[in-house]
Amino acid sequence: MDLQLENRVVLVVGGTGFIGSAVADRLRAEGATVVVASRNSSEGVTLDASDEESVRRGIDTVLERHGRIDGLVVTAAPPAQTLDPARSSDPEQILSAIDGKALSFLRVARAVIPAMREAGFGRIVAISGQNAYISGNITAVVRNASTILIAKNLADELAGTGVAVNVINPGLVTETPDAQVAPGRGGESSPDQIADLVAFLTSPLSAVDGESIAIGHRMLGTTLL
């Protein structure tokens, strides 16, 4: 299937990471012009999603170089392994985690939306996580659920403009995902599988909007959110 991404400009924030690099490679394979953004970018664009001014400068740079941004993929966030389980209910850790994931996504999305609205087209994809579906770690739940809720609200605000916003929620991400799914766990997925879904959601062919999509089996034994 031709996803019609040839020469589309797609910004991948966190594009040097485990998931982000696979996303960037997949989009390039579809013919997209991929701009990788990270805090310490040797190529692409330097952008710290936790800093409003850095975000503004990064987005301005992309627009100056390419004239438009057709797609935005935000994979940047501190890994779940960096969260201290012993501080799950610590307000400081929770606030820091929300800022590092949900608000970082919001900062970048808000910065690209004006250009997308003007163009009448845009695709925004956030990578969140299936920890949003289950209790047990307040920090992990809240940072992922916040990302999902922010994306849905943005999608609703942009309904009818040609700009779509969606979220992908992996469970454990590994190069060799196990087909088995344990109760209370989400199915595993690989970076390449996530990248395939991202490629479709950034395509003009996609009419999906305002969705929160689990990749791998959705958390076994849960129903809502």
Side-chain angles (χ1 to χ4, degrees), residues 130-134 181-182 184-187 214 216-223:
Q130 292 199 40
N131 281 333
Y133 304 153
I134 190 168
V181 184
R185 298 289 299 273
H217 186 86
R218 184 185 173 99
M219 191 76 68
L220 187 61
T222 67
T223 55

Side-chain angles (χ1 to χ4, degrees), residues 81-171:
Q81 294 85 350
T82 65
L83 304 175
D84 184 354
R87 298 177 60 207
S88 166
S89 60
D90 182 341
E92 290 188 6
Q93 177 170 264
I94 293 168
L95 286 172
S96 176
I98 292 172
D99 187 70
K101 189 161 197 173
L103 296 185
S104 289
F105 165 66
L106 180 59
R107 289 185 193 100
V108 184
R110 288 180 70 246
V112 303
I113 283 170
M116 289 181 171
R117 289 190 69 133
E118 184 177 353
F121 177 84
R123 296 289 184 266
I124 298 173
V125 181
I127 307 298
S128 187
Q130 292 199 40
N131 281 333
Y133 304 153
I134 190 168
S135 63
N137 185 317
I138 295 174
T139 302
V141 170
V142 171
R143 76 169 189 159
N144 287 300
S146 298
T147 305
I148 293 168
L149 293 172
I150 286 170
K152 172 57 175 167
N153 276 270
L154 289 177
D156 286 0
E157 290 175 15
L158 294 166
T161 67
V163 182
V165 185
N166 294 289
V167 181
I168 295 173
N169 299 304

Side-chain angles (χ1 to χ4, degrees), residues 2-6 8 121 123 199-207:
D2 178 5
L3 294 179
Q4 299 179 13
L5 288 170
E6 187 77 29
R8 296 275 183 178
F121 177 84
R123 296 289 184 266
F200 175 72
L201 292 176
T202 54
S203 166
L205 298 182
S206 173

Side-chain angles (χ1 to χ4, degrees), residues 3-26:
L3 294 179
Q4 299 179 13
L5 288 170
E6 187 77 29
N7 298 323
R8 296 275 183 178
V9 178
V10 184
L11 175 63
V12 182
V13 179
T16 59
F18 186 48
I19 297 173
S21 58
V23 169
D25 288 345
R26 181 71 173 85

Side-chain angles (χ1 to χ4, degrees), residues 27-108:
L27 292 171
R28 289 190 191 101
E30 287 292 331
T33 299
V34 176
V35 181
V36 170
S38 63
R39 290 184 178 182
N40 302 296
S41 180
S42 57
E43 55 185 63
V45 173
T46 300
L47 186 154
D48 180 354
S50 68
D51 181 82
E52 194 81 39
E53 180 61 22
S54 176
V55 170
R56 185 192 63 77
R57 288 196 306 268
I59 299 307
D60 285 349
T61 298
V62 179
L63 291 172
E64 287 167 8
R65 290 178 183 174
H66 300 280
R68 67 186 199 274
I69 299 175
D70 301 302
L72 168 67
V73 184
V74 181
T75 71
Q81 294 85 350
T82 65
L83 304 175
D84 184 354
R87 298 177 60 207
S88 166
S89 60
D90 182 341
E92 290 188 6
Q93 177 170 264
I94 293 168
L95 286 172
S96 176
I98 292 172
D99 187 70
K101 189 161 197 173
L103 296 185
S104 289
F105 165 66
L106 180 59
R107 289 185 193 100
V108 184

